[in-house]
């Protein structure tokens, strides 16, 4: 699915699917997705009979970072409901989440990041401030993810 081109893609055209199958739902678009990363740990090892006086580096376990989703508060409780279901004991609600980057003409995804076995770990209510009237109320959901693939 990844498409080569001369110029880099902009980061402002993306779609999120929380395994509902409908990225164009009226549940609201996300303003920001951040934290998608893979961290490979490196282990050092040296055998006692090694001819060299330095350690050899070998691959260890890898970790996938926590991913943060932010969207303007629109009155739907879908993100909170997912968090609430897990915290009250329904651990069958792990999801596969897709984040798809679109080109400028929205001709379909040019790359898709798949978050495997995602579960909410933090839901943050928007900050409220009566002194400023120009800010949008932003809710935030942080997902713990077991694996990340790209296509």
């Amino acid at each position: 699915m990844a498409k080569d081109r001369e110029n880099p893609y902009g980061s402002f055209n993306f779609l999120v699917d929380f395994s509902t199958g409908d990225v164009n739902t009226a549940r609201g678009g996300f303003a920001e997705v951040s934290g998608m990363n893979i961290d490979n740990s490196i282990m050092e090892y040296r055998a006692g009979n090694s001819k060299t006086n330095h350690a050899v580096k070998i691959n260890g376990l890898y970790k996938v970072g926590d991913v943060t989703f932010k969207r303007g508060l629109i009155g739907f409780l879908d993100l909170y409901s997912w968090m609430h279901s897990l915290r009250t004991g329904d651990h069958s609600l792990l999801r596969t989440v897709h984040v798809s980057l679109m080109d400028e003409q929205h001709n379909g995804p040019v790359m898709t990041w798949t978050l495997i076995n995602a579960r909410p770990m933090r839901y943050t209510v928007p900050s409220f401030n009566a002194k400023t009237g120009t800010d949008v109320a932003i809710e935030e959901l942080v997902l713990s993810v077991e694996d990340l693939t790209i296509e």
Side-chain angles (χ1 to χ4, degrees):
M1 178 183 309
K3 298 178 183 177
D4 294 334
R5 73 180 203 174
E6 293 278 323
N7 298 320
Y9 291 101
S11 64
F12 52 86
N13 290 322
F14 60 94
L15 300 173
V16 177
D17 179 6
F18 280 103
S19 295
T20 63
D22 183 9
V23 296
N24 296 315
T25 181
R27 299 270 184 211
F30 288 86
E32 182 180 337
V33 177
S34 61
M36 289 190 289
N37 66 73
I38 300 172
D39 184 18
N40 216 6
S41 65
I42 303 298
M43 300 183 301
E44 293 186 0
Y45 173 77
R46 183 181 179 281
N49 63 350
S50 177
K51 303 272 189 229
T52 59
N53 289 330
H54 63 81
V56 176
K57 297 188 182 217
I58 57 177
N59 288 339
L61 294 175
Y62 71 92
K63 299 182 291 186
V64 176
D66 301 330
V67 182
T68 302
F69 295 83
K70 295 180 181 180
R71 72 174 181 188
L73 184 67
I74 56 174
F76 287 105
L77 297 176
D78 51 344
L79 301 182
Y80 169 76
S81 295
W82 186 20
M83 174 66 128
H84 180 71
S85 295
L86 281 167
R87 75 180 181 150
T88 56
D90 188 355
H91 297 284
S92 66
L93 293 176
L94 302 183
R95 293 186 185 170
T96 299
V97 177
H98 302 280
V99 179
S100 299
L101 181 66
M102 310 297 282
D103 65 10
E104 291 81 359
Q105 291 78 32
H106 294 270
N107 291 325
V110 295
M111 289 184 79
T112 298
W113 291 261
T114 302
L115 310 173
I116 300 167
N117 287 337
R119 71 186 82 211
M121 62 181 286
R122 182 174 58 240
Y123 173 79
T124 305
V125 174
S127 297
F128 302 112
N129 185 341
K131 291 185 198 177
T132 60
T134 59
D135 294 339
V136 173
I138 301 289
E139 66 181 332
E140 179 179 301
L141 181 70
V142 179
L143 299 181
S144 173
V145 178
E146 290 183 12
D147 207 357
L148 169 66
T149 62
I150 303 173
E151 60 180 84

